[in-house]
Amino acid sequence: MNSANASAEAVIDVVSSLRVCAFCPNTCRSSYAASHLEQMESHTPSALSLIALAYLDGQLGKDSGVVETLHRRSALLESRGHCTYGLDMPSVLSAALEDKI
Amino acid sequence: MQTTHSQSVAGGLPIRPTPGVPSSWRADEIAPANANVLRAIVGNDYVLTSVADRYAYARDRLPYGLFKLRMGELPGTLPSAIVIPGSEAELIAIVKFANRERLRLIPFGAGSGVLGGVIALSCEVMVDLKRMNRLLELNEMDGTVTVEAGMNGGHFEEELNARGFTANHLPQSIFMSTVGGWAACRGAGQASSRYGKIEDIVVGLKAILPDGRPLVVRPVARRAVGPSIKDLLIGSEGVFGFITELTLRIGRQAQVRRGITLAFPTLQSAMDAMRGIVQGEGRPSVMRLYDLEESTQRTEGLPTFAEFPILVILQFSGPALLAAAEEEFAMQICKLHGGCIAENRPYEHWEETRYQSYSVKWQTAGYYMDTIEITGAWSALPRMYERMRAAVLSLHPDAYFGAHWSHIYQEGACQYMTVRLPPMPEDEALALHRKAWKEVQEICLELNGSIAHHHGVGVFRNEWLRKELNTGMDMLQILKDGIDPHNLLNPGKVGLRAHTDAAQLTRVASV
């Protein structure tokens, strides 16, 4: 596999992981603290994935507050290791948004 | 309702564009002055107004909503803001302010509902209750626990377990739902055949009515003081008030827990066995019967099922003496109906995955998958199953239909169906999906079942609620008009009147 193909596959893999997470009902929810901020919907891994997809697709522009929202990652980080489907969403989100926000 | 884009309405009328948002999305934002008042009540951190934040609150887990989001569309509208109170006093202040300004509100737990109960239809303000999340009192003498409505279900059960107790309410969504959400949608857990649904477990509650008045239903075992006010709130999905606190019956954690896998020759023989157990006063903590389709998926390679293809899972738990007696009794009934004990792998797999509710393959690969749960009487269930199955399979050559029965009662059972359509053009799929719902709900009504066992009504079942409740629907509307005359609290849900500017969530099937 040449490097261009590998890179394309990695992009597909990242987007595919975002889609899995975006439509998951937050099965990892109890892994992040019950403290108020981390339980806000827009802090959850699933919401961050949904918002990231909309941003990458061009549906949500930068003036939608998307950049600030996508930088709130404490719940996301706490969920690492608790994904029912074995995804490492903090890494996926970082890879998906690298240089884009 | 005052918003910064107050001219925007749904239903084909112009939608004023919002910066950073597709022009087809309705995204009216709360007026800045109103947002400032909410900030003064709860603090700056707890009022969210950015489009990105509001997008995260524009959905629950309604599959139709998922289909729309996959296509880059909203299920309804964006909420105009999110406000997150930290106490009952803050919530009362929010509700009273909303009344003065005619702001529409939607109570929001964890958004795990699957009928669209918290989807904004006219840019309502979401009121996220998850900061109200404390376990307030565990009363060992009375066998009750009092908890704030926004507590995560998994955290709640774990806290009880740490003290040797359980609420015996164990829904598949336990880790992604709130205790208040369980009550608001009249949910059921996996041990319902023994311990009942949430309405059987809740013994008291507190709520804030749409005008800001507090309502208290003191926790007592039983009462005879007119119709049950508690039951007006349980299952109300936020249309009659905000549930803020619940007192639930609890029990000691089970001394023993034993699961058994059984194989039956036919669906009818297994159904007869389930009925025989509960009508004979047996109460296994878990009872699950699968149709041939769902049995086959779970028993591949297991020799017993070659001859006896229908899968049943039973679990017996509680004090060792009682569980052993329950097991012996149930095994006698099963044997009488041709059942035999099989390899226990299906039970073990169920136990391992009992709180997973997401089908990655089907939900992300362009399929149209949904679940529909109804209640039927024993005398009607076989016909219901056959007719519903035939109706769904006739919709498309590659349609999938599977069913199981896992909430078992003396009079009947919940029939839980999975319906799946293959990838196809959006308009065709949404029409077929709606038609599948229509067929199933109408067959259910024709055979005198209830159109919903534990998922609630939300907005997706509105169409059938009058047939379900007949003149009871008028009673609910009169009550709603009386306690919420401006229709501010979760308008357009549970079959009640929507505002004229509400988004139309569903499309009528045209096939």
Side-chain angles (χ1 to χ4, degrees):
Chain A
M1 186 186 295
N2 65 37
S3 61
N5 283 347
S7 172
E9 284 204 2
V11 170
I12 291 167
D13 197 41
V14 162
V15 170
S16 161
S17 296
L18 283 177
R19 288 181 70 83
V20 169
C21 185
F23 300 119
C24 171
N26 277 315
T27 55
C28 63
R29 188 186 283 274
S30 65
S31 70
Y32 29 99
S35 63
H36 37 271
L37 285 171
E38 283 157 359
Q39 290 288 339
M40 285 181 187
E41 289 312 298
S42 45
H43 288 222
T44 64
S46 180
L48 291 174
S49 297
L50 184 74
I51 293 165
L53 283 171
Y55 176 61
L56 295 172
D57 286 348
Q59 288 177 297
L60 291 181
K62 280 198 171 171
D63 45 3
S64 68
V66 71
V67 175
E68 185 190 347
T69 300
L70 288 173
H71 274 117
R72 297 183 200 136
R73 299 192 191 179
S74 54
L76 181 76
L77 292 169
E78 283 189 52
S79 77
R80 179 174 264 148
H82 296 277
C83 174
T84 311
Y85 308 98
L87 298 175
D88 177 359
M89 288 314 298
S91 299
V92 169
L93 200 70
S94 294
L97 299 173
E98 194 177 23
D99 302 328
K100 295 189 177 70
I101 58 171
Chain B
M1 182 184 184
Q2 190 186 0
T3 66
T4 52
H5 301 284
S6 56
Q7 299 306 307
S8 299
V9 287
L13 294 172
I15 295 171
R16 232 171 116 173
T18 300
V21 174
S23 58
S24 61
W25 290 12
R26 187 172 158 201
D28 305 358
E29 188 180 331
I30 191 170
N34 287 341
N36 286 338
V37 173
L38 294 177
R39 288 188 186 100
I41 295 170
V42 298
N44 288 340
D45 286 346
Y46 303 114
V47 177
L48 308 175
T49 57
S50 82
V51 167
D53 282 321
R54 293 190 284 137
Y55 182 50
Y57 281 85
R59 63 167 175 175
D60 56 12
R61 261 54 192 188
L62 171 72
Y64 171 90
L66 181 152
F67 307 152
K68 299 290 280 184
L69 288 165
R70 274 193 326 211
M71 298 179 300
E73 298 173 26
L74 295 177
T77 71
L78 289 188
S80 60
I82 298 98
V83 58
I84 310 172
S87 67
E88 185 185 82
E90 289 182 1
L91 178 60
I92 289 171
I94 292 165
V95 174
K96 287 188 171 176
F97 173 68
N99 257 273
R100 281 200 301 276
E101 294 300 320
R102 303 285 189 262
L103 291 175
R104 301 169 191 168
L105 306 176
I106 297 180
F108 192 100
S112 64
V114 291
L115 269 303
V118 296
I119 285 177
L121 301 179
S122 54
C123 299
E124 294 90 338
V125 174
M126 290 290 169
V127 183
D128 186 334
L129 296 166
K130 288 194 292 294
R131 279 177 75 203
M132 296 168 67
N133 60 10
R134 294 170 302 159
L135 195 154
L136 298 172
E137 185 195 11
L138 193 154
N139 186 324
E140 295 192 21
M141 170 70 84
D142 296 341
T144 59
V145 63
T146 300
V147 58
E148 289 184 312
M151 188 170 192
N152 177 278
H155 292 157
F156 170 62
E157 181 65 17
E158 284 168 358
E159 233 179 276
L160 287 177
N161 291 172
R163 295 163 75 170
F165 291 91
T166 171
N168 288 310
H169 186 76
L170 307 169
Q172 190 179 43
S173 65
I174 189 165
F175 290 107
M176 47 199 156
S177 55
T178 62
V179 180
W182 299 345
C185 79
R186 220 171 166 89
Q190 292 165 345
S192 66
S193 300
R194 184 175 180 87
Y195 299 103
K197 291 176 72 221
I198 195 70
E199 63 266 32
D200 304 307
I201 295 171
V202 171
V203 293
L205 58 80
K206 289 184 180 176
I208 305 301
L209 297 181
D211 61 2
R213 280 179 298 168
L215 168 75
V216 178
V217 178
R218 285 175 286 107
V220 291
R222 292 287 187 275
R223 45 167 48 96
V225 288
S228 167
I229 301 298
K230 180 189 84 174
D231 283 299
L232 284 176
L233 272 296
I234 297 181
S236 67
E237 304 188 35
V239 302
F240 293 147
F242 289 85
I243 297 171
T244 56
E245 200 176 295
L246 290 152
T247 299
L248 289 82
R249 179 179 300 137
I250 55 173
R252 292 274 173 193
Q253 278 195 284
Q255 186 183 7
V256 296
R257 185 175 292 113
R258 184 169 132 80
I260 294 177
T261 300
L262 293 129
F264 281 82
T266 64
L267 183 58
Q268 187 62 56
S269 63
M271 208 174 261
D272 289 343
M274 298 301 98
R275 179 168 62 84
I277 292 170
V278 292
Q279 290 184 345
E281 301 188 16
R283 291 291 180 276
S285 47
V286 173
M287 302 178 77
R288 301 179 71 86
L289 157 63
Y290 300 86
D291 73 351
L292 182 60
E293 193 74 40
E294 294 202 5
S295 291
T296 304
Q297 294 159 18
R298 290 163 173 79
T299 59
E300 198 179 341
L302 300 181
T304 309
F305 289 90
E307 193 177 348
F308 300 91
I310 298 298
L311 170 66
V312 164
I313 284 170
L314 298 178
Q315 185 194 69
F316 305 93
S317 62
L321 193 65
L322 190 56
E326 290 268 8
E327 181 180 335
E328 186 182 346
F329 175 72
M331 290 304 104
Q332 282 177 10
I333 302 273
C334 289
K335 192 176 174 189
L336 199 66
H337 290 282
C340 61
I341 293 176
E343 301 83 351
N344 212 23
R345 201 193 310 158
Y347 172 80
E348 290 159 3
H349 178 75
W350 172 80
E351 179 77 53
E352 281 163 22
T353 59
R354 62 187 294 182
Y355 300 126
Q356 295 175 17
S357 63
Y358 180 49
S359 305
V360 173
K361 179 179 173 186
W362 307 117
Q363 297 292 32
T364 59
Y367 285 77
Y368 296 84
M369 178 174 156
D370 207 338
T371 57
I372 312 174
E373 26 63 68
I374 55 92
T375 313
W378 290 118
S379 57
L381 278 170
R383 271 181 301 155
M384 273 187 179
Y385 171 72
E386 289 301 339
R387 285 188 56 190
M388 290 174 184
R389 180 173 182 273
V392 170
L393 293 180
S394 72
L395 293 175
H396 191 281
D398 296 323
Y400 169 88
F401 179 93
H404 63 264
W405 297 262
S406 54
H407 307 279
I408 312 286
Y409 309 98
Q410 286 159 295
E411 306 82 10
C414 164
Q415 180 167 296
Y416 192 104
M417 295 159 278
T418 299
V419 174
R420 192 171 64 236
L421 297 164
M424 66 179 85
E426 167 201 339
D427 282 346
E428 187 185 345
L430 294 185
L432 283 178
H433 173 251
R434 189 65 184 166
K435 188 162 187 190
W437 267 90
K438 193 175 178 68
E439 294 279 357
V440 167
Q441 298 282 257
E442 290 185 354
I443 291 168
C444 178
L445 287 163
E446 188 188 325
L447 296 177
N448 288 319
S450 174
I451 60 169
H453 176 265
H454 61 277
H455 285 172
V457 179
V459 66
F460 211 71
R461 276 187 163 126
N462 277 352
E463 181 180 341
W464 302 283
L465 210 58
R466 175 159 289 280
K467 281 187 185 167
E468 166 83 23
L469 298 178
N470 56 81
T471 46
M473 193 67 236
D474 297 329
M475 294 172 71
L476 289 187
Q477 187 64 64
I478 290 165
L479 179 62
K480 174 72 170 171
D481 292 342
I483 65 170
D484 186 11
H486 302 294
N487 199 13
L488 299 178
L489 204 46
N490 210 6
K493 308 290 170 53
V494 195
L496 295 164
R497 191 181 304 119
H499 288 281
T500 53
D501 65 349
Q504 298 295 312
L505 197 69
T506 55
R507 301 178 187 191
V508 176
S510 57
V511 292

